[in-house]
Amino acid sequence: MKMMKKLVAVVAALTLTVGMASTAMAASWSNYFGLNKGWYEGTKGSLTSNSATGWTANIKSIGWGGCWGGQVYQKGLSIKKGQQYTIKFTIKSSKLNKWVYLKIGDAKGKQMNLGKWIDCKKGQTVTVNETFTAKYNGNSVYFGIGGDFHDRQKVKTDEDAKVRYKYAPNNKLDGRLPSDYSADHPTVITVSGYSFGAASAGGSSSSSNGTVSSNGTVNTVTTSDGTVATGDFTPFACGATAVLAAAAIVVFAKRRQED
């Protein structure tokens, strides 16, 4: 009987630990594809992988409704004004040259911690590694992956268009594709090795171009405001909780045996 109680305690502890670890590592990205929702100018596609360290978007048609026609984003972060943060990831577009817009700021673009256009050349990997100081409190990071032809300045629903185009290179963005009207092009955009957290002591300010891989370029203009993000320490917290819970179960079982 005593052996049975010990076995039950161990199994319960392992189950609790695995369950908490699974919760902590749950997918953390939300998405929006405009054409899927009935917006004919938007992007058609789906998120085919989603984890704490990255995502994959299978795009059937990039659309022509601007970068926000297709979005992959995180909310619920805790970005604190005056603190330094580092954002790191690699990104790749499989089938065509694609501009992707990275934004950490409000919807209207008036409080921008970061605005960056990333030039993803077909089949090449671009590495981004930037450290910034936040000038504003915030809670989100957005990747704009829809077809953007640098023509949304006068569209009322694109409240940040004027701001984001200030950061864009002086060209037509996705309009450089093989045809003048190229909104139906497909591609797969993959982000991997993603991390977002408080900068280590002595972290330096980013350069305007960040760090790039040998296979790609980050043709971008960055805001002077600096930017930001927060680390997700939930896995560590849940792991510690699981260990404590497991210990409590074992102690409880031992006391039951002694009674």
Side-chain angles (χ1 to χ4, degrees), residues 86-99:
T86 297
I87 183 169
K88 299 179 182 179
F89 59 88
T90 61
I91 187 168
K92 180 179 180 180
S93 173
S94 66
K95 297 181 180 180
L96 55 85
N97 297 336
K98 181 76 182 76
W99 287 96

Side-chain angles (χ1 to χ4, degrees), residues 48-100:
T48 57
S49 71
N50 187 346
S51 73
T53 58
W55 49 266
T56 300
N58 184 11
I59 297 175
K60 302 297 185 182
S61 171
I62 64 172
W64 66 93
C67 65
W68 303 126
Q71 308 171 22
V72 181
Y73 59 92
Q74 268 187 345
K75 289 187 175 181
L77 303 176
S78 180
I79 300 166
K80 303 296 184 183
K81 178 181 178 180
Q83 293 187 9
Q84 279 195 332
Y85 300 87
T86 297
I87 183 169
K88 299 179 182 179
F89 59 88
T90 61
I91 187 168
K92 180 179 180 180
S93 173
S94 66
K95 297 181 180 180
L96 55 85
N97 297 336
K98 181 76 182 76
W99 287 96
V100 173

Side-chain angles (χ1 to χ4, degrees), residues 6-244:
K6 289 182 179 180
L7 180 60
V8 170
V10 171
V11 171
L14 289 174
T15 302
L16 182 60
T17 303
V18 171
M20 286 189 172
S22 299
T23 300
M25 296 305 292
S28 57
W29 297 94
S30 299
N31 65 88
Y32 168 79
F33 295 93
L35 187 57
N36 298 15
K37 300 293 185 179
W39 179 30
Y40 70 97
E41 294 181 351
T43 305
K44 180 179 181 181
S46 61
L47 214 59
T48 57
S49 71
N50 187 346
S51 73
T53 58
W55 49 266
T56 300
N58 184 11
I59 297 175
K60 302 297 185 182
S61 171
I62 64 172
W64 66 93
C67 65
W68 303 126
Q71 308 171 22
V72 181
Y73 59 92
Q74 268 187 345
K75 289 187 175 181
L77 303 176
S78 180
I79 300 166
K80 303 296 184 183
K81 178 181 178 180
Q83 293 187 9
Q84 279 195 332
Y85 300 87
T86 297
I87 183 169
K88 299 179 182 179
F89 59 88
T90 61
I91 187 168
K92 180 179 180 180
S93 173
S94 66
K95 297 181 180 180
L96 55 85
N97 297 336
K98 181 76 182 76
W99 287 96
V100 173
Y101 185 59
L102 173 66
K103 180 175 83 167
I104 302 173
D106 67 357
K108 297 181 180 180
K110 292 182 178 180
Q111 293 187 336
M112 290 292 293
N113 282 316
L114 173 66
K116 175 181 287 296
W117 288 96
I118 305 169
D119 188 4
C120 300
K121 298 292 177 56
K122 176 182 176 181
Q124 298 182 356
T125 298
V126 181
T127 298
V128 176
N129 182 348
E130 304 237 9
T131 299
F132 301 92
T133 299
K135 287 207 170 182
Y136 304 97
N137 293 329
N139 63 3
S140 63
V141 55
Y142 276 80
F143 288 88
I145 58 177
D148 201 314
F149 299 83
H150 210 300
D151 59 356
R152 305 287 294 181
Q153 295 95 327
K154 297 182 181 180
V155 180
K156 293 182 179 179
T157 54
D158 275 34
E159 294 183 279
D160 73 336
K162 291 182 179 179
V163 175
R164 73 175 187 258
Y165 291 152
K166 284 171 56 179
Y167 309 143
N170 186 22
N171 59 30
K172 297 180 180 180
L173 295 174
D174 290 329
R176 68 185 175 183
L177 295 173
S179 62
D180 292 335
Y181 191 75
S182 50
D184 286 334
H185 283 294
T187 191
V188 175
I189 297 177
T190 303
V191 166
S192 60
Y194 177 88
S195 66
F196 201 32
S200 58
S204 58
S205 299
S206 70
S207 64
S208 60
N209 289 326
T211 301
V212 257
S213 68
S214 58
N215 293 325
T217 57
V218 181
N219 290 332
T220 174
V221 177
T222 313
T223 69
S224 59
D225 287 351
T227 181
V228 119
T230 60
D232 181 4
F233 300 106
T234 304
F236 300 101
C238 288
T241 303
V243 172
L244 292 173

